[in-house]
């Protein structure tokens, strides 16, 4: 039974290719990557917002708001702005606060001067970071019971001493 279904599958898939008069279109255009790029020579002053990923290799001054997307600062990128995004990757220079709903990744050649608020953070060796870091938990319910459990243990230790 397994062989007969395989044979029927092969005969169906092989039929159009064996007939030279059959038009079988080939998809040559792939779906575009939803990523905007700010080139090396561009300078933008103002607010940038959107829902697609953003790659910055130029200079931005102002505010970047991409709450559902990734913002990548390339090696030549300079950002003097606050950034709000789902994910931020820093390979260039950022002077401003970063607020992420998922993660911040500061690569070896990247530098950040500002406060960071995120759920996850990665800082490679050689990266420069000057500012405060607040790592939030994804589920607040998980962190509260642990604090309640640690509190009685600390009280018991001080009471017995």
């Amino acid at each position: 039974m397994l062989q007969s279904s395989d044979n029927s599958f092969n005969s169906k898939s092989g039929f159009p290719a064996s007939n030279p008069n059959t038009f079988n279109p080939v998809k040559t255009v792939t779906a575009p990557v939803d990523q905007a790029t700010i080139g090396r020579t561009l300078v933008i002053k103002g607010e940038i917002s959107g829902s697609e990923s953003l790659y910055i290799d130029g200079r931005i001054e102002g505010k970047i708001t991409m709450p559902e997307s990734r913002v990548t600062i390339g090696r030549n990128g300079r950002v003097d702005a606050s950034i709000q995004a789902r994910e931020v990757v820093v390979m260039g220079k950022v002077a401003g606060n970063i607020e992420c709903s998922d993660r911040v990744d500061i690569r070896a050649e990247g530098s950040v001067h500002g406060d960071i608020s995120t759920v996850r953070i990665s800082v490679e060796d050689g990266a420069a970071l000057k500012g405060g870091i607040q790592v939030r938990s994804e589920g607040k319910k998980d962190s509260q019971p642990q604090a309640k459990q640690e509190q009685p243990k600390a009280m018991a230790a001080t009471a017995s001493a």
Side-chain angles (χ1 to χ4, degrees):
M1 190 183 293
L2 181 61
Q3 290 177 347
S4 64
S5 65
D6 286 342
N7 291 338
S8 65
F9 178 76
N10 288 336
S11 66
K12 288 181 182 176
S13 63
F15 180 73
S18 64
N19 187 353
N21 295 328
T22 305
F23 178 72
N24 193 5
V26 178
K27 191 173 185 181
T28 58
V29 179
T30 60
V33 176
D34 290 337
Q35 177 173 322
T37 301
I38 296 174
R40 184 184 289 184
T41 61
L42 293 177
V43 177
I44 297 176
K45 296 180 182 183
E47 292 187 20
I48 298 174
S49 63
S51 60
E52 61 187 305
S53 296
L54 178 64
Y55 185 86
I56 301 168
D57 216 25
R59 184 175 172 130
I60 305 290
E61 295 178 14
K63 184 177 182 180
I64 301 171
T65 306
M66 311 284 255
E68 300 170 2
S69 304
R70 168 191 264 190
V71 175
T72 303
I73 294 91
R75 290 190 172 111
N76 300 308
R78 290 187 67 114
V79 175
D80 296 321
S82 62
I83 302 172
Q84 180 184 4
R86 179 180 50 83
E87 185 175 350
V88 175
V89 178
V90 180
M91 294 180 280
K93 297 183 180 183
V94 175
N97 298 336
I98 299 174
E99 184 178 338
C100 283
S101 59
D102 187 23
R103 77 177 283 136
V104 174
D105 187 11
I106 305 171
R107 302 283 172 89
E109 58 276 0
S111 71
V112 175
H113 287 50
D115 295 337
I116 298 174
S117 176
T118 185
V119 174
R120 297 181 295 163
I121 187 166
S122 170
V123 181
E124 289 184 359
D125 286 342
L129 174 60
K130 183 177 181 180
I133 301 172
Q134 178 187 8
V135 179
R136 302 179 314 267
S137 63
E138 287 181 295
K140 293 181 181 179
K141 293 179 182 178
D142 292 339
S143 65
Q144 289 176 353
Q146 291 174 355
K148 290 179 183 177
Q149 289 174 359
E150 291 173 12
Q151 208 171 24
K153 290 178 186 177
M155 294 170 94
T158 56
S160 64

